[in-house]
Amino acid sequence: MLEDREETINIVRKLAEQFDFDKSYIDDEIKKLAKFVTVLELTLEHICGKTVNES
């Protein structure tokens, strides 16, 4: 879980900007709802996969 609230707000803002261009609306919603947001930080330790032979 990402503990840094400032980083969490930055991530939420970047995500919201992809769906709505109204900055004031985004800022108002973040102010109201940021305390309810949890961001999970995933660290991949190992990735494996097979090569696909497409014909």
Side-chain angles (χ1 to χ4, degrees):
M1 193 161 57
L2 190 61
E3 298 293 333
D4 184 12
R5 295 306 294 170
E6 189 66 32
E7 183 67 22
T8 298
I9 290 172
N10 288 336
I11 291 169
V12 169
R13 182 171 281 112
K14 287 178 186 176
L15 181 63
E17 287 173 352
Q18 292 181 4
F19 298 100
D20 195 336
F21 297 109
D22 186 4
K23 301 283 187 193
S24 63
Y25 174 75
I26 291 171
D27 290 338
D28 290 341
E29 291 298 310
I30 288 174
K31 286 178 189 174
K32 289 191 293 188
L33 302 171
K35 60 186 172 192
F36 300 111
V37 174
T38 300
V39 175
L40 298 178
E41 181 179 22
L42 301 176
T43 303
L44 300 176
E45 295 178 7
H46 181 73
I47 296 176
C48 66
K50 65 180 189 180
T51 305
V52 177
N53 185 7
E54 295 182 13
S55 297

